[in-house]
Amino acid sequence: MTIQTIKISPILKKVTSKRSVEDYYTLCWIQNGIKHIEINKIKYKNVSNSVFFLTPDFDWKIHKNGTSASSGYLLYLPKSVLEYPAFKNLHITQVRFFKSIDEIPKINLSPGIEKRVQSILEMLDELLSTNSPHREEAILSLLNTFFVYCDGKCNIKTFISDNNQKAALVYKFKKRIDKHFSEYHEVSAYAQLLYVSDKYLNECVKEVLGTNAKSLIDEKLIMTARHELKFTDKPIKEIAYQLGFSSPDYFSYYLKKHTNLSPRQIRKS
C-alpha cells in the first residue's frame, strides 16, 4: 500500500459525484449544509454528522446547499488500504457485507465526537498534501483512529456467509436502538418491534457480534449519558428522565454499575 493512493477532499461543490474512472471506496463524512445524498437513485435526507461507506459499486451524488463553507469530507481509499494489517480486523473495513442487505451503510456517529472527527480529517488532509517526516506512520495512525470511531456504529461482521438474515436482523436491531434507546431499555421491547423472540435476538447478536443484545442497549445509553453530563449543563435529574430512567437514583446506580463512576464524577472528569 502506498499513501499516495489515498485521497481526501472537502465537500465544497454544489453537486459532488462519484469519480467515474477510479475504483475507490469512499468514506463520506457529512457535517452539515447538505440537502441530500443520492445513492443508487435513492435520496437520503437529514444526514448531518454521519458517515456513508460507499463501495465502488454504488452510484452517488451529494447535493449541497448554496454555501461556500465545507460540508464535510470525502476520503477515497483504494481496496489495498482495507487489507492493511492494522485495519483488517476492524469491522468498518468489512462493510462490503452491506451490499447484500437493502440498507445503505450509514453510520450515525456518537454524540459529542463531531469536532474530533473533523480534526482527524483535517489533519489527514494536511498530511496528505505535505512531505513531512514520518508522514506515512501519522496518516495510518489517523486513519486507524477514524475507523475506530466509526467501528462501534458499524460492527456487523461480514464472515457470516451462511446466514446473512441474522446479520440483517442485528443491523435492524442497532437501528431500533438508535431510535428508541431512551424509550426502551429491555431486549424484550426490541424483540417485539422486530417480531422475533428475545432468545432468537440474543442468539443472533451473539453470533454476529460476539456479545449479548442488552450490552448494545447499555452501550448506547452510557455513551449518551456521558455526552449529556460532560457537554451540557442540564441537571442530572433532567438527564435521567430524558434517557428514560424511572428516577435520578436509579440513573446513578446504573452508571456506577457500568462505569464505576457516579453522574457527578463523570461530569467532573
Side-chain angles (χ1 to χ4, degrees):
M1 183 191 78
T2 59
I3 290 300
Q4 286 72 20
T5 59
I6 299 171
K7 301 178 184 180
I8 190 170
S9 63
I11 303 172
L12 294 169
K13 296 179 181 178
K14 192 168 183 181
V15 178
T16 304
S17 302
K18 172 186 176 180
R19 292 171 178 249
S20 55
V21 219
E22 296 167 336
D23 194 21
Y24 275 74
Y25 288 85
T26 306
L27 270 171
C28 171
W29 174 57
I30 296 176
Q31 185 179 18
N32 51 45
I34 298 295
K35 287 182 181 177
H36 61 266
I37 180 169
E38 183 179 332
I39 305 172
N40 291 345
K41 299 184 179 179
I42 299 173
K43 293 180 181 179
Y44 297 84
K45 299 181 179 180
N46 303 316
V47 292
S48 294
N49 198 29
S50 60
V51 173
F52 287 83
F53 193 111
L54 304 169
T55 74
D57 301 318
F58 287 127
D59 289 316
W60 56 268
K61 289 182 182 179
I62 298 170
H63 295 260
K64 186 176 180 294
N65 292 325
T67 61
S68 57
S70 171
S71 295
Y73 271 101
L74 294 167
L75 181 60
Y76 300 102
L77 303 171
K79 291 181 179 180
S80 59
V81 170
L82 303 185
E83 302 303 322
Y84 190 72
F87 307 149
K88 279 180 70 175
N89 293 326
L90 288 172
H91 299 123
I92 180 65
T93 64
Q94 301 172 356
V95 296
R96 282 165 284 184
F97 156 79
F98 282 102
K99 290 190 294 183
S100 65
I101 301 178
D102 294 330
E103 295 281 0
I104 297 296
K106 176 189 172 189
I107 306 162
N108 295 309
L109 294 176
S110 305
I113 70 167
E114 180 178 352
K115 289 183 180 178
R116 294 173 230 174
V117 167
Q118 181 176 351
S119 297
I120 290 167
L121 293 174
E122 285 175 348
M123 285 188 282
L124 273 172
D125 193 3
E126 183 179 348
L127 282 166
L128 285 166
S129 61
T130 67
N131 291 309
S132 303
H134 308 293
R135 170 175 169 266
E136 181 164 335
E137 294 93 328
I139 288 170
L140 291 174
S141 177
L142 287 168
L143 275 176
N144 189 62
T145 303
F146 179 61
F147 286 158
V148 167
Y149 270 125
C150 295
D151 209 39
K153 303 304 292 182
C154 195
N155 52 357
I156 307 294
K157 295 182 181 179
T158 61
F159 34 80
I160 304 194
S161 56
D162 60 334
N163 196 346
N164 278 342
Q165 286 186 348
K166 289 185 177 181
L169 176 65
V170 175
Y171 181 59
K172 290 176 183 177
F173 174 46
K174 286 170 68 67
K175 288 190 72 174
R176 297 297 191 282
I177 293 172
D178 285 340
K179 186 175 181 180
H180 297 292
F181 68 94
S182 61
E183 184 180 0
Y184 304 129
H185 294 181
E186 299 303 324
V187 174
S188 57
Y190 293 95
Q192 288 180 8
L193 289 174
L194 295 165
Y195 303 103
V196 296
S197 69
D198 304 13
K199 182 180 178 182
Y200 182 70
L201 182 55
N202 263 309
E203 284 176 359
C204 291
V205 174
K206 182 68 176 176
E207 182 174 331
V208 175
L209 300 179
T211 187
N212 59 65
K214 185 66 165 68
S215 69
L216 299 185
I217 303 168
D218 291 335
E219 177 187 44
K220 180 67 176 180
L221 282 167
I222 292 163
M223 288 173 65
T224 308
R226 282 184 179 275
H227 173 262
E228 293 297 297
L229 289 165
K230 291 175 72 70
F231 298 104
T232 76
D233 58 0
K234 295 176 185 175
I236 292 172
K237 179 179 179 180
E238 181 181 340
I239 295 171
Y241 290 129
Q242 174 188 319
L243 295 180
F245 289 90
S246 57
S247 71
D249 286 343
Y250 182 64
F251 177 56
S252 180
Y253 165 79
Y254 177 87
L255 285 180
K256 289 197 79 171
K257 177 183 175 183
H258 290 282
T259 70
N260 293 320
L261 296 171
S262 69
R264 286 185 175 81
Q265 288 171 320
I266 292 172
R267 175 156 273 173
K268 289 177 182 177
S269 63

PDB file of all heavy atoms in Angstrom, residues 35-63:
ATOM      1  N   LYS A  35     -28.246  19.143   1.319  1.00  0.00           N
ATOM      2  CA  LYS A  35     -29.676  18.932   1.040  1.00  0.00           C
ATOM      3  C   LYS A  35     -30.003  17.440   1.155  1.00  0.00           C
ATOM      4  O   LYS A  35     -30.921  17.045   1.856  1.00  0.00           O
ATOM      5  CB  LYS A  35     -30.014  19.421  -0.370  1.00  0.00           C
ATOM      6  CG  LYS A  35     -30.048  20.926  -0.533  1.00  0.00           C
ATOM      7  CD  LYS A  35     -30.455  21.263  -1.960  1.00  0.00           C
ATOM      8  CE  LYS A  35     -30.482  22.770  -2.174  1.00  0.00           C
ATOM      9  NZ  LYS A  35     -30.818  23.102  -3.576  1.00  0.00           N
ATOM     10  N   HIS A  36     -29.234  16.655   0.423  1.00  0.00           N
ATOM     11  CA  HIS A  36     -29.418  15.209   0.489  1.00  0.00           C
ATOM     12  C   HIS A  36     -28.240  14.528  -0.201  1.00  0.00           C
ATOM     13  O   HIS A  36     -27.485  15.152  -0.941  1.00  0.00           O
ATOM     14  CB  HIS A  36     -30.733  14.761  -0.154  1.00  0.00           C
ATOM     15  CG  HIS A  36     -30.836  15.099  -1.617  1.00  0.00           C
ATOM     16  ND1 HIS A  36     -31.431  16.254  -2.079  1.00  0.00           N
ATOM     17  CD2 HIS A  36     -30.410  14.439  -2.719  1.00  0.00           C
ATOM     18  CE1 HIS A  36     -31.374  16.298  -3.398  1.00  0.00           C
ATOM     19  NE2 HIS A  36     -30.761  15.192  -3.820  1.00  0.00           N
ATOM     20  N   ILE A  37     -28.091  13.248   0.069  1.00  0.00           N
ATOM     21  CA  ILE A  37     -27.153  12.413  -0.680  1.00  0.00           C
ATOM     22  C   ILE A  37     -27.986  11.409  -1.459  1.00  0.00           C
ATOM     23  O   ILE A  37     -28.930  10.824  -0.928  1.00  0.00           O
ATOM     24  CB  ILE A  37     -26.119  11.729   0.240  1.00  0.00           C
ATOM     25  CG1 ILE A  37     -25.150  10.859  -0.589  1.00  0.00           C
ATOM     26  CG2 ILE A  37     -26.785  10.902   1.333  1.00  0.00           C
ATOM     27  CD1 ILE A  37     -23.956  10.356   0.198  1.00  0.00           C
ATOM     28  N   GLU A  38     -27.675  11.265  -2.723  1.00  0.00           N
ATOM     29  CA  GLU A  38     -28.414  10.357  -3.599  1.00  0.00           C
ATOM     30  C   GLU A  38     -27.535   9.145  -3.882  1.00  0.00           C
ATOM     31  O   GLU A  38     -26.431   9.276  -4.422  1.00  0.00           O
ATOM     32  CB  GLU A  38     -28.767  11.076  -4.902  1.00  0.00           C
ATOM     33  CG  GLU A  38     -29.605  10.269  -5.859  1.00  0.00           C
ATOM     34  CD  GLU A  38     -29.941  11.038  -7.130  1.00  0.00           C
ATOM     35  OE1 GLU A  38     -30.004  12.285  -7.073  1.00  0.00           O
ATOM     36  OE2 GLU A  38     -30.121  10.391  -8.165  1.00  0.00           O
ATOM     37  N   ILE A  39     -27.999   7.967  -3.494  1.00  0.00           N
ATOM     38  CA  ILE A  39     -27.242   6.734  -3.677  1.00  0.00           C
ATOM     39  C   ILE A  39     -28.099   5.747  -4.453  1.00  0.00           C
ATOM     40  O   ILE A  39     -29.203   5.405  -4.024  1.00  0.00           O
ATOM     41  CB  ILE A  39     -26.825   6.120  -2.323  1.00  0.00           C
ATOM     42  CG1 ILE A  39     -26.049   7.150  -1.491  1.00  0.00           C
ATOM     43  CG2 ILE A  39     -25.991   4.867  -2.534  1.00  0.00           C
ATOM     44  CD1 ILE A  39     -25.764   6.709  -0.076  1.00  0.00           C
ATOM     45  N   ASN A  40     -27.585   5.338  -5.611  1.00  0.00           N
ATOM     46  CA  ASN A  40     -28.346   4.442  -6.497  1.00  0.00           C
ATOM     47  C   ASN A  40     -29.767   4.968  -6.726  1.00  0.00           C
ATOM     48  O   ASN A  40     -30.754   4.237  -6.616  1.00  0.00           O
ATOM     49  CB  ASN A  40     -28.373   3.022  -5.933  1.00  0.00           C
ATOM     50  CG  ASN A  40     -27.009   2.354  -5.980  1.00  0.00           C
ATOM     51  OD1 ASN A  40     -26.101   2.818  -6.665  1.00  0.00           O
ATOM     52  ND2 ASN A  40     -26.857   1.280  -5.231  1.00  0.00           N
ATOM     53  N   LYS A  41     -29.852   6.278  -6.959  1.00  0.00           N
ATOM     54  CA  LYS A  41     -31.095   6.992  -7.303  1.00  0.00           C
ATOM     55  C   LYS A  41     -32.081   7.122  -6.141  1.00  0.00           C
ATOM     56  O   LYS A  41     -33.230   7.488  -6.335  1.00  0.00           O
ATOM     57  CB  LYS A  41     -31.774   6.344  -8.512  1.00  0.00           C
ATOM     58  CG  LYS A  41     -30.907   6.376  -9.772  1.00  0.00           C
ATOM     59  CD  LYS A  41     -31.646   5.805 -10.971  1.00  0.00           C
ATOM     60  CE  LYS A  41     -30.754   5.870 -12.211  1.00  0.00           C
ATOM     61  NZ  LYS A  41     -31.415   5.306 -13.413  1.00  0.00           N
ATOM     62  N   ILE A  42     -31.641   6.803  -4.925  1.00  0.00           N
ATOM     63  CA  ILE A  42     -32.479   6.993  -3.738  1.00  0.00           C
ATOM     64  C   ILE A  42     -31.918   8.159  -2.936  1.00  0.00           C
ATOM     65  O   ILE A  42     -30.707   8.224  -2.677  1.00  0.00           O
ATOM     66  CB  ILE A  42     -32.519   5.723  -2.865  1.00  0.00           C
ATOM     67  CG1 ILE A  42     -33.109   4.556  -3.665  1.00  0.00           C
ATOM     68  CG2 ILE A  42     -33.327   5.952  -1.591  1.00  0.00           C
ATOM     69  CD1 ILE A  42     -33.041   3.213  -2.954  1.00  0.00           C
ATOM     70  N   LYS A  43     -32.775   9.092  -2.536  1.00  0.00           N
ATOM     71  CA  LYS A  43     -32.341  10.271  -1.799  1.00  0.00           C
ATOM     72  C   LYS A  43     -32.417  10.037  -0.289  1.00  0.00           C
ATOM     73  O   LYS A  43     -33.411   9.511   0.211  1.00  0.00           O
ATOM     74  CB  LYS A  43     -33.207  11.480  -2.168  1.00  0.00           C
ATOM     75  CG  LYS A  43     -33.036  11.944  -3.594  1.00  0.00           C
ATOM     76  CD  LYS A  43     -33.929  13.154  -3.895  1.00  0.00           C
ATOM     77  CE  LYS A  43     -33.760  13.598  -5.357  1.00  0.00           C
ATOM     78  NZ  LYS A  43     -34.631  14.757  -5.671  1.00  0.00           N
ATOM     79  N   TYR A  44     -31.359  10.437   0.426  1.00  0.00           N
ATOM     80  CA  TYR A  44     -31.303  10.338   1.880  1.00  0.00           C
ATOM     81  C   TYR A  44     -31.127  11.747   2.442  1.00  0.00           C
ATOM     82  O   TYR A  44     -30.157  12.429   2.120  1.00  0.00           O
ATOM     83  CB  TYR A  44     -30.147   9.437   2.325  1.00  0.00           C
ATOM     84  CG  TYR A  44     -30.292   8.014   1.850  1.00  0.00           C
ATOM     85  CD1 TYR A  44     -29.867   7.646   0.578  1.00  0.00           C
ATOM     86  CD2 TYR A  44     -30.880   7.041   2.658  1.00  0.00           C
ATOM     87  CE1 TYR A  44     -30.025   6.346   0.126  1.00  0.00           C
ATOM     88  CE2 TYR A  44     -31.031   5.734   2.227  1.00  0.00           C
ATOM     89  CZ  TYR A  44     -30.600   5.394   0.952  1.00  0.00           C
ATOM     90  OH  TYR A  44     -30.753   4.109   0.504  1.00  0.00           O
ATOM     91  N   LYS A  45     -32.091  12.153   3.278  1.00  0.00           N
ATOM     92  CA  LYS A  45     -32.049  13.481   3.875  1.00  0.00           C
ATOM     93  C   LYS A  45     -31.702  13.365   5.362  1.00  0.00           C
ATOM     94  O   LYS A  45     -31.598  12.280   5.906  1.00  0.00           O
ATOM     95  CB  LYS A  45     -33.390  14.188   3.687  1.00  0.00           C
ATOM     96  CG  LYS A  45     -33.780  14.388   2.215  1.00  0.00           C
ATOM     97  CD  LYS A  45     -35.118  15.109   2.087  1.00  0.00           C
ATOM     98  CE  LYS A  45     -35.480  15.313   0.620  1.00  0.00           C
ATOM     99  NZ  LYS A  45     -36.792  16.006   0.476  1.00  0.00           N
ATOM    100  N   ASN A  46     -31.540  14.538   6.002  1.00  0.00           N
ATOM    101  CA  ASN A  46     -31.223  14.582   7.444  1.00  0.00           C
ATOM    102  C   ASN A  46     -30.016  13.702   7.758  1.00  0.00           C
ATOM    103  O   ASN A  46     -30.079  12.776   8.568  1.00  0.00           O
ATOM    104  CB  ASN A  46     -32.434  14.129   8.279  1.00  0.00           C
ATOM    105  CG  ASN A  46     -33.659  14.980   7.991  1.00  0.00           C
ATOM    106  OD1 ASN A  46     -33.569  16.198   7.914  1.00  0.00           O
ATOM    107  ND2 ASN A  46     -34.800  14.333   7.829  1.00  0.00           N
ATOM    108  N   VAL A  47     -28.900  14.002   7.114  1.00  0.00           N
ATOM    109  CA  VAL A  47     -27.720  13.139   7.217  1.00  0.00           C
ATOM    110  C   VAL A  47     -26.543  13.817   7.920  1.00  0.00           C
ATOM    111  O   VAL A  47     -25.407  13.345   7.837  1.00  0.00           O
ATOM    112  CB  VAL A  47     -27.277  12.653   5.810  1.00  0.00           C
ATOM    113  CG1 VAL A  47     -28.300  11.709   5.222  1.00  0.00           C
ATOM    114  CG2 VAL A  47     -27.035  13.829   4.872  1.00  0.00           C
ATOM    115  N   SER A  48     -26.801  14.922   8.644  1.00  0.00           N
ATOM    116  CA  SER A  48     -25.711  15.609   9.328  1.00  0.00           C
ATOM    117  C   SER A  48     -25.035  14.709  10.353  1.00  0.00           C
ATOM    118  O   SER A  48     -25.685  13.904  11.014  1.00  0.00           O
ATOM    119  CB  SER A  48     -26.237  16.865  10.035  1.00  0.00           C
ATOM    120  OG  SER A  48     -26.684  17.803   9.091  1.00  0.00           O
ATOM    121  N   ASN A  49     -23.712  14.883  10.482  1.00  0.00           N
ATOM    122  CA  ASN A  49     -22.880  14.124  11.423  1.00  0.00           C
ATOM    123  C   ASN A  49     -23.037  12.618  11.243  1.00  0.00           C
ATOM    124  O   ASN A  49     -23.231  11.866  12.185  1.00  0.00           O
ATOM    125  CB  ASN A  49     -23.166  14.510  12.873  1.00  0.00           C
ATOM    126  CG  ASN A  49     -22.038  14.064  13.796  1.00  0.00           C
ATOM    127  OD1 ASN A  49     -20.892  13.977  13.380  1.00  0.00           O
ATOM    128  ND2 ASN A  49     -22.364  13.756  15.034  1.00  0.00           N
ATOM    129  N   SER A  50     -22.936  12.208   9.987  1.00  0.00           N
ATOM    130  CA  SER A  50     -22.997  10.783   9.690  1.00  0.00           C
ATOM    131  C   SER A  50     -21.914  10.437   8.676  1.00  0.00           C
ATOM    132  O   SER A  50     -21.368  11.309   8.004  1.00  0.00           O
ATOM    133  CB  SER A  50     -24.379  10.387   9.149  1.00  0.00           C
ATOM    134  OG  SER A  50     -24.673  11.091   7.970  1.00  0.00           O
ATOM    135  N   VAL A  51     -21.617   9.154   8.597  1.00  0.00           N
ATOM    136  CA  VAL A  51     -20.627   8.662   7.653  1.00  0.00           C
ATOM    137  C   VAL A  51     -21.297   7.633   6.756  1.00  0.00           C
ATOM    138  O   VAL A  51     -22.014   6.754   7.237  1.00  0.00           O
ATOM    139  CB  VAL A  51     -19.434   8.014   8.387  1.00  0.00           C
ATOM    140  CG1 VAL A  51     -18.486   7.345   7.390  1.00  0.00           C
ATOM    141  CG2 VAL A  51     -18.680   9.047   9.211  1.00  0.00           C
ATOM    142  N   PHE A  52     -21.080   7.764   5.454  1.00  0.00           N
ATOM    143  CA  PHE A  52     -21.523   6.755   4.498  1.00  0.00           C
ATOM    144  C   PHE A  52     -20.284   6.044   3.955  1.00  0.00           C
ATOM    145  O   PHE A  52     -19.322   6.688   3.536  1.00  0.00           O
ATOM    146  CB  PHE A  52     -22.286   7.384   3.332  1.00  0.00           C
ATOM    147  CG  PHE A  52     -23.663   7.866   3.693  1.00  0.00           C
ATOM    148  CD1 PHE A  52     -23.843   9.107   4.268  1.00  0.00           C
ATOM    149  CD2 PHE A  52     -24.783   7.085   3.442  1.00  0.00           C
ATOM    150  CE1 PHE A  52     -25.104   9.567   4.603  1.00  0.00           C
ATOM    151  CE2 PHE A  52     -26.054   7.533   3.769  1.00  0.00           C
ATOM    152  CZ  PHE A  52     -26.221   8.774   4.352  1.00  0.00           C
ATOM    153  N   PHE A  53     -20.301   4.728   3.994  1.00  0.00           N
ATOM    154  CA  PHE A  53     -19.222   3.938   3.418  1.00  0.00           C
ATOM    155  C   PHE A  53     -19.733   3.445   2.066  1.00  0.00           C
ATOM    156  O   PHE A  53     -20.610   2.591   2.005  1.00  0.00           O
ATOM    157  CB  PHE A  53     -18.875   2.762   4.330  1.00  0.00           C
ATOM    158  CG  PHE A  53     -17.582   2.089   3.957  1.00  0.00           C
ATOM    159  CD1 PHE A  53     -16.475   2.186   4.790  1.00  0.00           C
ATOM    160  CD2 PHE A  53     -17.466   1.364   2.783  1.00  0.00           C
ATOM    161  CE1 PHE A  53     -15.279   1.554   4.455  1.00  0.00           C
ATOM    162  CE2 PHE A  53     -16.280   0.738   2.436  1.00  0.00           C
ATOM    163  CZ  PHE A  53     -15.182   0.831   3.277  1.00  0.00           C
ATOM    164  N   LEU A  54     -19.183   3.993   0.981  1.00  0.00           N
ATOM    165  CA  LEU A  54     -19.701   3.736  -0.354  1.00  0.00           C
ATOM    166  C   LEU A  54     -18.705   2.885  -1.137  1.00  0.00           C
ATOM    167  O   LEU A  54     -17.561   3.294  -1.365  1.00  0.00           O
ATOM    168  CB  LEU A  54     -19.960   5.059  -1.074  1.00  0.00           C
ATOM    169  CG  LEU A  54     -20.896   6.012  -0.320  1.00  0.00           C
ATOM    170  CD1 LEU A  54     -20.897   7.393  -0.947  1.00  0.00           C
ATOM    171  CD2 LEU A  54     -22.310   5.444  -0.274  1.00  0.00           C
ATOM    172  N   THR A  55     -19.130   1.690  -1.511  1.00  0.00           N
ATOM    173  CA  THR A  55     -18.254   0.802  -2.275  1.00  0.00           C
ATOM    174  C   THR A  55     -18.223   1.260  -3.732  1.00  0.00           C
ATOM    175  O   THR A  55     -19.071   2.054  -4.170  1.00  0.00           O
ATOM    176  CB  THR A  55     -18.765  -0.650  -2.205  1.00  0.00           C
ATOM    177  OG1 THR A  55     -19.919  -0.767  -3.043  1.00  0.00           O
ATOM    178  CG2 THR A  55     -19.120  -1.047  -0.768  1.00  0.00           C
ATOM    179  N   PRO A  56     -17.271   0.764  -4.507  1.00  0.00           N
ATOM    180  CA  PRO A  56     -17.203   1.156  -5.922  1.00  0.00           C
ATOM    181  C   PRO A  56     -18.461   0.811  -6.707  1.00  0.00           C
ATOM    182  O   PRO A  56     -18.700   1.371  -7.783  1.00  0.00           O
ATOM    183  CB  PRO A  56     -15.991   0.359  -6.443  1.00  0.00           C
ATOM    184  CG  PRO A  56     -15.143   0.128  -5.247  1.00  0.00           C
ATOM    185  CD  PRO A  56     -16.110  -0.063  -4.108  1.00  0.00           C
ATOM    186  N   ASP A  57     -19.277  -0.099  -6.186  1.00  0.00           N
ATOM    187  CA  ASP A  57     -20.499  -0.497  -6.901  1.00  0.00           C
ATOM    188  C   ASP A  57     -21.617   0.547  -6.806  1.00  0.00           C
ATOM    189  O   ASP A  57     -22.563   0.509  -7.580  1.00  0.00           O
ATOM    190  CB  ASP A  57     -21.029  -1.826  -6.338  1.00  0.00           C
ATOM    191  CG  ASP A  57     -19.994  -2.931  -6.460  1.00  0.00           C
ATOM    192  OD1 ASP A  57     -19.354  -3.001  -7.510  1.00  0.00           O
ATOM    193  OD2 ASP A  57     -19.830  -3.699  -5.509  1.00  0.00           O
ATOM    194  N   PHE A  58     -21.538   1.442  -5.825  1.00  0.00           N
ATOM    195  CA  PHE A  58     -22.591   2.427  -5.644  1.00  0.00           C
ATOM    196  C   PHE A  58     -22.400   3.620  -6.582  1.00  0.00           C
ATOM    197  O   PHE A  58     -21.285   4.124  -6.753  1.00  0.00           O
ATOM    198  CB  PHE A  58     -22.601   2.966  -4.206  1.00  0.00           C
ATOM    199  CG  PHE A  58     -23.133   2.006  -3.179  1.00  0.00           C
ATOM    200  CD1 PHE A  58     -22.378   1.700  -2.054  1.00  0.00           C
ATOM    201  CD2 PHE A  58     -24.372   1.432  -3.322  1.00  0.00           C
ATOM    202  CE1 PHE A  58     -22.859   0.829  -1.096  1.00  0.00           C
ATOM    203  CE2 PHE A  58     -24.865   0.553  -2.375  1.00  0.00           C
ATOM    204  CZ  PHE A  58     -24.106   0.247  -1.258  1.00  0.00           C
ATOM    205  N   ASP A  59     -23.501   4.078  -7.178  1.00  0.00           N
ATOM    206  CA  ASP A  59     -23.513   5.377  -7.855  1.00  0.00           C
ATOM    207  C   ASP A  59     -24.052   6.394  -6.864  1.00  0.00           C
ATOM    208  O   ASP A  59     -25.066   6.142  -6.208  1.00  0.00           O
ATOM    209  CB  ASP A  59     -24.416   5.339  -9.096  1.00  0.00           C
ATOM    210  CG  ASP A  59     -23.806   4.496 -10.206  1.00  0.00           C
ATOM    211  OD1 ASP A  59     -22.596   4.634 -10.444  1.00  0.00           O
ATOM    212  OD2 ASP A  59     -24.549   3.713 -10.823  1.00  0.00           O
ATOM    213  N   TRP A  60     -23.397   7.543  -6.747  1.00  0.00           N
ATOM    214  CA  TRP A  60     -23.829   8.502  -5.731  1.00  0.00           C
ATOM    215  C   TRP A  60     -23.556   9.946  -6.145  1.00  0.00           C
ATOM    216  O   TRP A  60     -22.668  10.231  -6.953  1.00  0.00           O
ATOM    217  CB  TRP A  60     -23.150   8.210  -4.387  1.00  0.00           C
ATOM    218  CG  TRP A  60     -21.648   8.178  -4.422  1.00  0.00           C
ATOM    219  CD1 TRP A  60     -20.855   7.088  -4.621  1.00  0.00           C
ATOM    220  CD2 TRP A  60     -20.762   9.285  -4.256  1.00  0.00           C
ATOM    221  NE1 TRP A  60     -19.533   7.434  -4.591  1.00  0.00           N
ATOM    222  CE2 TRP A  60     -19.443   8.774  -4.363  1.00  0.00           C
ATOM    223  CE3 TRP A  60     -20.944  10.650  -4.032  1.00  0.00           C
ATOM    224  CZ2 TRP A  60     -18.312   9.594  -4.262  1.00  0.00           C
ATOM    225  CZ3 TRP A  60     -19.825  11.467  -3.922  1.00  0.00           C
ATOM    226  CH2 TRP A  60     -18.522  10.939  -4.031  1.00  0.00           C
ATOM    227  N   LYS A  61     -24.370  10.832  -5.580  1.00  0.00           N
ATOM    228  CA  LYS A  61     -24.198  12.275  -5.746  1.00  0.00           C
ATOM    229  C   LYS A  61     -24.536  12.951  -4.426  1.00  0.00           C
ATOM    230  O   LYS A  61     -25.483  12.553  -3.742  1.00  0.00           O
ATOM    231  CB  LYS A  61     -25.127  12.839  -6.832  1.00  0.00           C
ATOM    232  CG  LYS A  61     -24.775  12.457  -8.242  1.00  0.00           C
ATOM    233  CD  LYS A  61     -25.749  13.114  -9.212  1.00  0.00           C
ATOM    234  CE  LYS A  61     -25.443  12.704 -10.655  1.00  0.00           C
ATOM    235  NZ  LYS A  61     -26.417  13.327 -11.597  1.00  0.00           N
ATOM    236  N   ILE A  62     -23.778  13.971  -4.073  1.00  0.00           N
ATOM    237  CA  ILE A  62     -24.068  14.769  -2.881  1.00  0.00           C
ATOM    238  C   ILE A  62     -24.549  16.135  -3.335  1.00  0.00           C
ATOM    239  O   ILE A  62     -23.861  16.837  -4.084  1.00  0.00           O
ATOM    240  CB  ILE A  62     -22.810  14.920  -1.994  1.00  0.00           C
ATOM    241  CG1 ILE A  62     -22.347  13.552  -1.507  1.00  0.00           C
ATOM    242  CG2 ILE A  62     -23.094  15.835  -0.806  1.00  0.00           C
ATOM    243  CD1 ILE A  62     -20.995  13.578  -0.822  1.00  0.00           C
ATOM    244  N   HIS A  63     -25.747  16.514  -2.904  1.00  0.00           N
ATOM    245  CA  HIS A  63     -26.329  17.808  -3.257  1.00  0.00           C
ATOM    246  C   HIS A  63     -26.220  18.735  -2.058  1.00  0.00           C
ATOM    247  O   HIS A  63     -26.792  18.470  -0.993  1.00  0.00           O
ATOM    248  CB  HIS A  63     -27.792  17.627  -3.678  1.00  0.00           C
ATOM    249  CG  HIS A  63     -27.954  16.816  -4.932  1.00  0.00           C
ATOM    250  ND1 HIS A  63     -28.172  17.388  -6.160  1.00  0.00           N
ATOM    251  CD2 HIS A  63     -27.911  15.476  -5.138  1.00  0.00           C
ATOM    252  CE1 HIS A  63     -28.269  16.444  -7.080  1.00  0.00           C
ATOM    253  NE2 HIS A  63     -28.105  15.267  -6.475  1.00  0.00           N
TER     254      HIS A  63
END
